[in-house]
Amino acid sequence: MLKQFIKRKAIVASVTSALTFAPVAQANKSELTVHVTNIDTARPGDIVLMIFNETGFPKQHDKAIYTLATPADNTQLRFHLELELPVFAVKVLHDEIGDRKVTKNWTGIIPSEGLGFSNGATLSWRGAPTFKNAAIVGDSQTLSLTIPVIYP
């Protein structure tokens, strides 16, 4: 069941075993399917999918173009979207606390919740990946991404 949905544009949402949402009344749409894998269902909370253009990626969640959250009750989820963004990046957060922020461990630096990024981008000793490392060019009418959630 869809728990929280934040929208920046007119969106239509439906929930089944796969989640679907689509901006309404836009031209030149690309179809995007995001497979989120490796979800630890023993952990509480939600899986939060965020679509960004370069602005705010990946730390400023309020700058995400689209944000969708659903309970983390399956080891895999599939999101199907229609969007009009020539270049974008995807961030997945297993938000265990429900604050829609990345919770850090005792160091205040290292995340204690699961994260995943498009284009195989990962966290490094320098921090979060850059937009350039996670960017996907929406030059195709249909795109499919697989993003595993990586836990600390």
Side-chain angles (χ1 to χ4, degrees), residues 55-112:
T55 304
F57 180 82
K59 295 182 179 183
Q60 296 176 312
H61 295 174
D62 61 327
K63 304 251 175 159
I65 303 298
Y66 303 109
T67 300
L68 182 64
T70 191
D73 55 7
N74 288 305
T75 59
Q76 297 184 39
L77 292 172
R78 185 180 64 195
F79 298 85
H80 181 79
L81 307 91
E82 291 181 359
L83 65 143
E84 183 185 347
L85 290 173
V87 180
F88 60 92
V90 180
K91 177 179 182 177
V92 175
L93 165 66
H94 186 155
D95 184 16
E96 296 180 41
I97 296 175
D99 61 359
R100 301 302 182 250
K101 298 177 184 176
V102 178
T103 303
K104 307 288 198 298
N105 70 3
W106 61 271
T107 65
I109 300 169
I110 300 170
S112 63

Side-chain angles (χ1 to χ4, degrees), residues 22-32 81-85 138 140-142:
V24 176
Q26 291 189 12
N28 300 322
K29 296 177 195 170
S30 293
E31 289 187 28
L32 171 66
L81 307 91
E82 291 181 359
L83 65 143
E84 183 185 347
L85 290 173
S140 172
Q141 287 298 100
T142 59

Side-chain angles (χ1 to χ4, degrees), residues 120-141:
T122 59
L123 298 173
S124 71
W125 62 272
R126 289 184 238 174
T130 64
F131 182 80
K132 181 179 177 181
N133 290 340
I136 301 292
V137 178
D139 60 358
S140 172
Q141 287 298 100

